[in-house]
Amino acid sequence: MRFLIVRTDIRTAADADLAAAWADRGWLRDEQIAPEERRQIVRAEDRDAALLLARALSTVGAVRSGRQRVKVLPIDEPGRRNRPGFR
């Protein structure tokens, strides 16, 4: 399975937005509607390589200070969902 390693900026949330999300038991951020701004994208062919790259990106000063984050996202193989018997 392939992986995508993404370094993104962390959006700040206003106190009112945080209180509204807490009161409604909703989400503060929805990545599908408004994704965080991407700073760097790297691809890896297996999980071990993805975790090694994520660990390396985590040493960036902005990540260590909490202004950015590193995400490891699995990517399905092309055409895999179309195979018979796939669940």
Side-chain angles (χ1 to χ4, degrees):
M1 178 180 280
R2 296 178 307 169
F3 290 86
L4 191 65
I5 302 94
V6 183
R7 184 169 56 102
T8 64
D9 287 332
I10 296 176
R11 290 189 305 263
T12 57
D15 289 338
D17 295 337
L18 185 60
W22 182 263
D24 297 338
R25 295 185 180 240
W27 296 100
L28 182 60
R29 297 179 176 101
D30 188 351
E31 291 292 321
Q32 293 180 351
I33 294 173
E36 294 175 338
E37 183 179 345
R38 295 177 183 172
R39 291 294 181 175
Q40 189 172 13
I41 300 171
V42 183
R43 293 185 183 140
E45 293 297 322
D46 61 15
R47 184 173 184 262
D48 291 335
L51 294 176
L52 182 66
L53 289 167
R55 196 173 308 128
L57 287 176
S58 296
T59 63
V60 173
V63 176
R64 293 179 64 193
S65 68
R67 293 187 315 266
Q68 295 178 351
R69 78 176 91 218
V70 176
K71 302 173 186 177
V72 178
L73 308 169
I75 301 174
D76 286 337
E77 295 177 15
R80 184 171 181 183
R81 290 185 176 164
N82 297 331
R83 277 196 274 168
F86 177 74
R87 294 182 182 177

